[in-house]
Amino acid sequence: MKKPERIQSERLLFLALKRMTLEDIITTLGGFGCYQKRLFIVICVIEFFVPFQLFCHLFHTLPVDHWCNDTTWWPRSCPIHWNVTPSECRSFLKGIVIPTSGDPPVYSKCTKYDYENVTGDVTEWMTLNTSVDVIACDRGWVFEEDTPLTLSKEFELVCDKKALTKVAQSIYFAGILTGCLLCSFIGDRFGRLTIFYTGMLGVGVIGTIIAFVQSITSYLILRYITGLFIWFAVSSAYIILMEFIGTSHRVVGGTILTVPFGIGFMALAGIAYGIGNWRKLQLVVSLPYIAFLVFWRKSLESPRWLMTQERWQDVQKVLDKLAKLNKTDENLTGNEIDGLKESFHSQKTTSSLLHVLRIRRLRWRSLILLTIWFIHSFVYYGLTLNSANFGTNIYVTFCFFGLSEIPACILSLVLMKFIGRRYAVVTCMIPAGLACIFTTFLPPGGWMTTVAVLGKLWISSSFGSIYLFTVELFSTNLRVSVLGASSLSARIGGICAPLMLILTGIWKPLPLIVFGALSLAGGLLALLLPETRGEPMPQTVAEAESLGRTKIRLPTSPTDEDI
């Protein structure tokens, strides 16, 4: 029997004799060895913290009961012979000056009776409110006592300013869109590690500063910058992981990252409930990002990025260190690096979205995918940010939304393996759309929340499938460009989702109907795409164009390689 060291040497010799690729070398040096496992754990921890910044604004702006402030009636006191407490007197005065509507009566949040020029004892006002004009709040608002300090309460983001709470989330997503546009340019220039740690430091520092802002304008500007940095950190972390692990581990490894994301989702609900105060919550969700700087000197730069810079000595140093960390005794020689150079230069091709637009079949395919990515993000964030409107405790609802991420991850893997990529997307988007529409027929409460959580589960599962599906639909030289454009489309969907929720002021079910209709449309559009399960990934434009023209070769039984 051959010793492991001899087998390793023979494999490296074989790689040196053929035109080798980086994937070949990484697989030989340990496709998921000790270093990759440690890297995977670190990025799982980062994924745990991602929902903290992504959704903390939802808890910053929780609704607090409020009504108009008015200096003509708050200073007055009730007659002594009434023998009431100050809070009871306050409630009585509120009942006189604030209009009510409905049965049972609900106090108006944005209007009041105009008693500016009315005189007399407070008891006489009770007979006047039917003849006094109703006006909009003009002296600020009074908020329910004994409630946590929220952004809405501190900066009075209510009534005509309420839409700012949704606009603020869209501005944050606009920052992510900007980060998406800049990330590839900066990352290609300065390296994966530089942009990753810049992003982590930026989120930690800017997020901490947000906790001390004194104006809503400062808050909006800094949230925009935080969105930019969070994309730097998260996208580069994912790229580093994918470029270090072997091909056979990428799909499962990338999909499993959804699990810590879901756990962080749930943890945020508990943390927000326990803290309450929005400034303290902002500190808690920001400071952990700075702690990741301790990994700076222990991290390896991506060898793929070093190759694009043709820094071949650094490539060899990184791969030698990877071999050492993975406890493989063999180091690469000049022959292997020469083979890597030859393979790299032979595969360098010029590619852009213009190549896609020139070919009718690929043009329509990319337009369908851009639409589907937009819908996924639009519906996913729309449902999540609408957590407060399903009639149950927002912390409980948000926690179940986070919990749904875990079965969604499993469902995505199972469906892609057994029914293929296309039908995995269709099977998830259509039920998600039906769930969104069905919630509009249910009264607020447990059942409405249950159906909404199911809708969130289905759209999350589909989101997990569409990435791999997109990768497999285009050739090697077009893949990065199409993925970049798809990500941009998704970011635009994220920007639009909070703005759609403003329309609840016109008709409360309207956003859910729009989410549902678009999800149904996206599921039907996916039927127009070719299936890729069981097909080799296209290497050329001609191979990508031919997908769907011939019968898809499905294996008799699914295996790990099929995914």
Side-chain angles (χ1 to χ4, degrees):
M1 181 180 293
K2 294 181 179 180
K3 295 182 179 180
E5 294 81 2
R6 184 177 176 185
I7 295 174
Q8 188 76 7
S9 300
E10 290 178 353
R11 292 180 68 181
L12 286 171
L13 177 61
F14 172 74
L15 290 174
L17 294 175
K18 74 165 191 169
R19 179 178 290 177
M20 60 197 309
T21 64
L22 183 62
E23 284 78 8
D24 296 327
I25 294 177
I26 287 178
T27 300
T28 301
L29 299 181
F32 200 68
C34 294
Y35 179 75
Q36 286 94 333
K37 289 174 183 174
R38 281 186 285 178
L39 179 64
F40 182 75
I41 291 171
V42 170
I43 293 177
C44 280
V45 176
I46 293 171
E47 283 292 321
F48 171 83
F49 287 107
V50 170
F52 286 25
Q53 284 293 331
L54 202 58
F55 299 117
C56 65
H57 177 76
L58 181 64
F59 297 101
H60 289 172
T61 56
L62 287 179
V64 179
D65 193 20
H66 59 275
W67 54 91
C68 294
N69 187 21
D70 195 325
T71 55
T72 63
W73 63 285
W74 280 133
R76 297 176 183 263
S77 59
C78 298
I80 297 177
H81 68 271
W82 284 11
N83 194 27
V84 294
T85 64
S87 62
E88 290 173 336
C89 179
R90 184 185 180 95
S91 298
F92 174 75
L93 294 174
K94 176 183 174 183
I96 295 176
V97 181
I98 304 300
T100 60
S101 61
D103 186 20
V106 177
Y107 287 108
S108 171
K109 298 180 183 298
C110 302
T111 61
K112 65 177 183 178
Y113 290 117
D114 185 11
Y115 286 112
E116 187 72 29
N117 299 314
V118 176
T119 59
D121 187 80
V122 67
T123 56
E124 298 177 19
W125 292 11
M126 300 175 64
T127 62
L128 297 175
N129 57 14
T130 57
S131 60
V132 175
D133 292 335
V134 176
I135 61 173
C137 301
D138 59 355
R139 300 178 186 275
W141 288 264
V142 176
F143 291 87
E144 187 70 43
E145 296 178 340
D146 301 324
T147 55
L149 179 66
T150 67
L151 195 76
S152 300
K153 185 176 179 179
E154 182 170 353
F155 297 117
E156 296 189 338
L157 303 181
V158 295
C159 298
D160 58 338
K161 294 182 180 179
K162 186 177 181 180
L164 271 178
T165 62
K166 310 301 181 188
V167 172
Q169 188 68 34
S170 290
I171 289 174
Y172 175 77
F173 283 130
I176 293 179
L177 174 63
T178 306
C180 186
L181 290 169
L182 296 177
C183 189
S184 60
F185 298 106
I186 299 175
D188 290 343
R189 176 67 185 275
F190 298 104
R192 311 286 193 246
L193 284 182
T194 300
I195 196 170
F196 168 69
Y197 283 108
T198 299
M200 297 297 285
L201 180 63
V203 173
V205 172
I206 302 298
T208 301
I209 294 174
I210 289 175
F212 299 97
V213 296
Q214 298 300 315
S215 72
I216 187 61
T217 302
S218 300
Y219 178 86
L220 296 176
I221 293 172
L222 293 176
R223 280 288 287 172
Y224 171 85
I225 298 173
T226 306
L228 185 150
F229 280 124
I230 196 72
W231 182 260
F232 281 7
V234 174
S235 63
S236 55
Y238 185 84
I239 290 170
I240 290 170
L241 178 64
M242 292 299 106
E243 291 182 345
F244 263 110
I245 64 178
T247 307
S248 61
H249 299 91
R250 285 178 185 166
V251 174
V252 175
T255 306
I256 288 176
L257 289 177
T258 308
V259 175
F261 180 87
I263 296 173
F265 212 120
M266 292 185 285
L268 175 60
I271 293 170
Y273 177 78
I275 294 176
N277 185 298
W278 81 269
R279 293 185 182 274
K280 294 179 181 178
L281 176 62
Q282 181 63 32
L283 284 174
V284 169
V285 301
S286 300
L287 290 174
Y289 284 84
I290 300 176
F292 283 92
L293 293 176
V294 300
F295 295 106
W296 172 269
R297 299 190 63 83
K298 297 182 180 180
S299 303
L300 299 180
E301 181 56 272
S302 165
R304 190 177 301 278
W305 177 76
L306 294 171
M307 286 171 58
T308 64
Q309 306 300 304
E310 302 201 24
R311 291 165 51 179
W312 298 106
Q313 289 185 344
D314 291 331
V315 170
Q316 181 156 4
K317 289 179 182 178
V318 168
L319 293 176
D320 285 343
K321 192 166 185 180
L322 178 64
K324 183 178 180 180
L325 292 171
N326 284 346
K327 300 179 181 178
T328 55
D329 296 329
E330 299 292 338
N331 289 331
L332 296 177
T333 66
N335 292 330
E336 288 90 9
I337 295 298
D338 289 340
L340 190 59
K341 287 182 187 179
E342 181 182 353
S343 175
F344 172 74
H345 288 300
S346 68
Q347 292 178 9
K348 288 180 71 175
T349 56
T350 303
S351 62
S352 70
L353 285 177
L354 293 177
H355 290 75
V356 177
L357 297 176
R358 291 186 187 123
I359 302 170
R360 182 175 179 274
R361 191 176 180 84
L362 297 184
R363 181 168 63 244
W364 283 107
R365 186 181 299 172
S366 60
L367 287 175
I368 290 171
L369 282 170
L370 291 176
T371 304
I372 291 175
W373 276 74
F374 172 89
I375 293 171
H376 273 96
S377 183
F378 185 66
V379 176
Y380 178 91
Y381 289 114
L383 279 174
T384 304
L385 298 174
N386 200 36
S387 301
N389 295 322
F390 294 119
T392 52
N393 184 286
I394 184 175
Y395 300 102
V396 175
T397 303
F398 194 83
C399 186
F400 277 107
F401 272 14
L403 181 63
S404 70
E405 295 284 341
I406 299 173
C409 166
I410 299 171
L411 181 63
S412 175
L413 288 172
V414 171
L415 290 178
M416 284 194 294
K417 177 176 284 191
F418 287 98
I419 67 174
R421 284 52 160 154
R422 174 174 59 181
Y423 289 110
V425 173
V426 174
T427 303
C428 292
M429 289 195 78
I430 290 179
L434 293 174
C436 289
I437 294 173
F438 189 54
T439 55
T440 63
F441 296 98
L442 298 172
W447 282 110
M448 187 181 193
T449 302
T450 301
V451 176
V453 170
L454 289 175
K456 168 70 166 46
L457 187 153
W458 286 110
I459 199 66
S460 298
S461 179
S462 183
F463 222 156
S465 305
I466 194 64
Y467 181 90
L468 177 63
F469 194 21
T470 303
V471 167
E472 294 179 341
L473 283 170
F474 291 90
S475 57
T476 303
N477 62 323
L478 297 175
R479 202 165 287 140
V480 174
S481 298
V482 173
L483 272 176
S486 300
S487 183
L488 283 175
S489 183
R491 303 288 76 77
I492 295 171
I495 293 171
C496 294
L499 300 178
M500 174 57 63
L501 296 178
I502 296 175
L503 298 182
T504 54
I506 299 174
W507 186 38
K508 199 167 185 178
L510 182 57
L512 287 170
I513 291 175
V514 174
F515 296 148
L518 286 180
S519 188
L520 290 173
L524 296 176
L525 278 175
L527 291 172
L528 301 177
L529 298 170
E531 180 56 78
T532 60
R533 174 175 171 254
E535 290 291 308
M537 290 182 69
Q539 302 299 313
T540 65
V541 173
E543 290 177 2
E545 189 181 4
S546 67
L547 282 173
R549 288 181 173 174
T550 57
K551 185 178 179 181
I552 300 297
R553 295 179 287 102
L554 297 178
T556 54
S557 60
T559 63
D560 291 339
E561 287 74 14
D562 294 330
I563 292 189

